[in-house]
Amino acid sequence: EPEVTQTPSHQVTQMGQEVILRCVPISNHLYFYWYRQILGQKVEFLVSFYNNEISEKSEIFDDQFSVERPDGSNFTLKIRSTKLEDSAMYFCASSDFWGGQPQHFGDGTRLSIL
Amino acid sequence: ELKVEQNPLFLSMQEGKNYTIYCNYSTTSDRLYWYRQDPGKSLESLFVLLSNGAVKQEGRLMASLDTKARLSTLHITAAVHDLSATYFCAVDGDGNQFYFGTGTSLTVIP
């Protein structure tokens, strides 16, 4: 069964550094998403992406964050000037339609900011 | 701000018992999703409910949606240990955003 893959599984970074989290969505899916989950808390929507542009973004997704689909398969989340509070699990998801279809989630990248 | 609240947050139940998890939301969305998350793992889609009165069942889990009351329920029948996990509901918000509930951590005790 096709799946969403994320790399790396764990990223440790010094505060202030930039990180790029990578995702390969399911190949025929058109909608892509990033979420974060702080340990023990709920899943928070960051951004949705369709047709090579951001569809929607949450208040969390400020100028520190950016997303890109650099080629036909990868979908990346860049976090600039990381802060301690950016430490969380980041999940990528994809779906073939908007709404009414389940999103398929990757296994996540655990980001630890030191 | 859209709110999605689940009740209870923590649930400990004995094997063989029945229980219901509640999900209340504040938007007018007709689409409600249920996900399961095992500790340290990703989210697995359980159900997609697309209209008022929708009911879906898979094994010991049954989900329903009442859009008028803005309420979804996840009913567990004759719980078994394998159902221990955290269960999240989620709704489509205005625009292309998804809002997840607070989660219900379920522990099934033998």
Side-chain angles (χ1 to χ4, degrees), chain A residues 8-21 36-39 64-65 77-90 109-114:
Chain A
S9 57
H10 191 191
Q11 174 81 46
V12 181
T13 301
Q14 292 288 330
M15 186 172 58
Q17 296 296 306
E18 175 182 286
V19 295
I20 297 176
L21 310 183
R36 80 172 184 192
Q37 185 179 34
I38 296 170
L39 185 63
Q64 185 192 6
F65 296 87
L77 174 68
K78 181 189 291 185
I79 309 175
R80 289 178 284 272
S81 297
T82 49
K83 299 174 281 197
L84 294 177
E85 53 264 39
D86 294 328
S87 296
M89 182 72 88
Y90 288 81
T109 293
R110 179 166 297 285
L111 178 62
S112 299
I113 307 299
L114 303 180

Side-chain angles (χ1 to χ4, degrees), chain A residues 37 48 56 98 100 103 106, chain B residues 33 35 37 42 45 96-98:
Chain A
Q37 185 179 34
S48 58
E56 192 72 41
W98 166 256
Q103 295 178 21
Chain B
Y33 309 80
Y35 287 87
Q37 185 180 37
S42 186
S45 175
N96 294 356
Q97 290 205 35
F98 284 86

Side-chain angles (χ1 to χ4, degrees), chain A residues 26-33 50 93-104:
Chain A
I26 294 174
S27 61
N28 63 337
H29 283 184
L30 302 176
Y31 295 86
F32 315 118
Y33 315 85
Y50 171 71
S94 69
S95 63
D96 50 2
F97 295 106
W98 166 256
Q101 297 289 327
Q103 295 178 21
H104 297 261

Side-chain angles (χ1 to χ4, degrees), chain B residues 6-26:
Chain B
Q6 289 181 233
N7 181 26
L9 298 182
F10 299 94
L11 175 57
S12 181
M13 56 190 298
Q14 287 191 314
E15 279 190 333
K17 298 293 186 181
N18 305 332
Y19 208 84
T20 300
I21 298 170
Y22 298 89
C23 172
N24 288 92
Y25 56 96
S26 62

Side-chain angles (χ1 to χ4, degrees), chain A residues 33 35 37 42-43 45 48 55-57 91 98-103 105-106, chain B residues 31 33 35 37 41-43 45 48 50 88 92 95-98 100-102:
Chain A
Y33 315 85
Y35 295 87
Q37 185 179 34
K42 68 177 180 180
V43 178
F45 171 82
S48 58
S55 300
E56 192 72 41
K57 59 184 180 179
F91 290 105
W98 166 256
Q101 297 289 327
Q103 295 178 21
F105 282 76
Chain B
R31 295 189 289 256
Y33 309 80
Y35 287 87
Q37 185 180 37
K41 301 293 185 181
S42 186
L43 290 98
S45 175
V48 179
L50 298 178
F88 290 96
D92 297 354
N96 294 356
Q97 290 205 35
F98 284 86
F100 277 78
T102 45

